[in-house]
C-alpha cells in the first residue's frame, strides 16, 4: 500500500499541462487584443489622412482636376514626412499596415445608390477613398489556428466625404447656360447686343 508521500510523487507535474495551456491561451488573447487595439488606432490615423485630403478636394479652384491634384498632394505630404508618426505607421516600409499609394478623390455616389434625402445624393459622397490593409491581423495562434482562412490580410476602405465646391470653370459654364436660358424666356430679350455680354462669376455660382 502506497503512502501519502508516494502518491504525491506520482502526481508530481500533473498540473503543468494545464498551466502551460492556460499560459499559452492568455498570451494568445493578449496578442490578439494588442493587435486589434493597434489596428483601430492606425485606422484613425488613416481616417485623418483622408479627411485632410478631402478638405483640399472640397475647396474650389480653377478646375476639378486641380482640386484632385491638391488632394493628392496633401495625401503624399502627410505620408512622405519622415518626422511625422503617419510615416512610421503607414509608410511604404511598414509590414503591419499599408494604405493606397495614391488616393482616389472623386464622386462615389454610385456606391450608394439607395441613399436618399432632401439633397442630391450625387453631391454628398464626394471626397477621398483609400484601401487599408492590416497585415498585423493575419497571423496564427497555438491551439486556435489562423485568423484568416485564405491567408490574405484583412482589407477595408477608409473614406472621408465632405463634398466639393464648384470649380471656376464649372461656374463659368453655369453662368453661360443661365444667360442662354434667360434670353430664351422672351423674344424681346434677344434684341439686346449679346456680343457685349461677358460672363463674370462672383463669389459662387
Amino acid at each position: 500500500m502506497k503512502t501519502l508521500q508516494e502518491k504525491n510523487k506520482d502526481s508530481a507535474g500533473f498540473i503543468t499541462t494545464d498551466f502551460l495551456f492556460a499560459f499559452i491561451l492568455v498570451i494568445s488573447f493578449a496578442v490578439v487584443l494588442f493587435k486589434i487595439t493597434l489596428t483601430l488606432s492606425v485606422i484613425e490615423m488613416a481616417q485623418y489622412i483622408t479627411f485632410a485630403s478631402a478638405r483640399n478636394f472640397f475647396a474650389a479652384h480653377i478646375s476639378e482636376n486641380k482640386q484632385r491634384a491638391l488632394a493628392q498632394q496633401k495625401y503624399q505630404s502627410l505620408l512622405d514626412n519622415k518626422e511625422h508618426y503617419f510615416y512610421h505607421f503607414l509608410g511604404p516600409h511598414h509590414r503591419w499596415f499599408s494604405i493606397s499609394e495614391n488616393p482616389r478623390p472623386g464622386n462615389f455616389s454610385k456606391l450608394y445608390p439607395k441613399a436618399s434625402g432632401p439633397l442630391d445624393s450625387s453631391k454628398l459622397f464626394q471626397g477621398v477613398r483609400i484601401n487599408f490593409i492590416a497585415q498585423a491581423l493575419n497571423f496564427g495562434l497555438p491551439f486556435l489556428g489562423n485568423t484568416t482562412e485564405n491567408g490574405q490580410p484583412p482589407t477595408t476602405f477608409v473614406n472621408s466625404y465632405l463634398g466639393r465646391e464648384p470649380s471656376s470653370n464649372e461656374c463659368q459654364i453655369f453662368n453661360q447656360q443661365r444667360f442662354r436660358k434667360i434670353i430664351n424666356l422672351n423674344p424681346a430679350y434677344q434684341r439686346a447686343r449679346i456680343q457685349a455680354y461677358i460672363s463674370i462669376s462672383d463669389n459662387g455660382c
Side-chain angles (χ1 to χ4, degrees):
M1 185 175 181
K2 293 184 178 180
T3 62
L4 180 60
Q5 185 177 3
E6 291 175 345
K7 289 182 178 180
N8 291 335
K9 289 183 179 180
D10 293 339
S11 302
F14 178 76
I15 200 173
T16 303
T17 304
D18 295 338
F19 173 78
L20 290 177
F21 178 79
F23 178 78
I24 293 175
L25 190 63
V26 170
I27 293 299
S28 299
F29 278 113
V31 171
V32 172
L33 183 60
F34 167 75
K35 289 195 173 185
I36 291 177
T37 304
L38 182 61
T39 300
L40 294 176
S41 299
V42 177
I43 287 179
E44 289 299 320
M45 298 181 191
Q47 183 70 62
Y48 176 79
I49 292 177
T50 59
F51 172 74
S53 303
R55 284 192 305 177
N56 284 27
F57 179 66
F58 169 83
H61 212 281
I62 297 176
S63 64
E64 182 178 353
N65 290 333
K66 185 63 177 179
Q67 291 173 288
R68 294 175 184 268
L70 291 176
Q72 294 174 350
Q73 181 180 354
K74 182 63 176 181
Y75 183 86
Q76 293 298 330
S77 66
L78 292 174
L79 287 181
D80 294 342
N81 188 358
K82 296 183 179 180
E83 297 180 357
H84 207 284
Y85 58 86
F86 290 146
Y87 176 83
H88 299 289
F89 284 96
L90 293 170
H93 65 286
H94 208 284
R95 297 183 179 181
W96 278 15
F97 306 102
S98 61
I99 58 179
S100 305
E101 294 183 1
N102 296 313
R104 291 183 289 175
N107 190 338
F108 300 95
S109 301
K110 294 182 179 179
L111 301 177
Y112 309 92
K114 296 182 180 180
S116 61
L119 298 177
D120 184 4
S121 61
S122 63
K123 300 178 181 179
L124 297 178
F125 301 102
Q126 298 195 52
V128 176
R129 177 182 175 93
I130 63 173
N131 293 325
F132 181 87
I133 304 175
Q135 294 93 337
L137 297 181
N138 183 21
F139 59 94
L141 295 173
F143 306 115
L144 298 178
N146 297 326
T147 56
T148 57
E149 296 181 357
N150 54 7
Q152 297 296 326
T155 61
T156 186
F157 294 102
V158 180
N159 316 306
S160 288
Y161 300 136
L162 303 180
R164 183 180 67 84
E165 291 183 343
S167 65
S168 176
N169 292 342
E170 290 171 327
C171 285
Q172 291 179 1
I173 294 175
F174 173 81
N175 290 332
Q176 291 172 1
Q177 293 176 348
R178 180 174 60 181
F179 173 74
R180 295 191 186 99
K181 290 185 178 297
I182 293 175
I183 292 298
N184 295 328
L185 289 177
N186 193 315
Y189 296 160
Q190 300 179 8
R191 300 175 184 176
R193 297 178 57 187
I194 302 178
Q195 294 81 0
Y197 173 81
I198 300 176
S199 177
I200 299 178
S201 298
D202 55 5
N203 188 20
C205 295

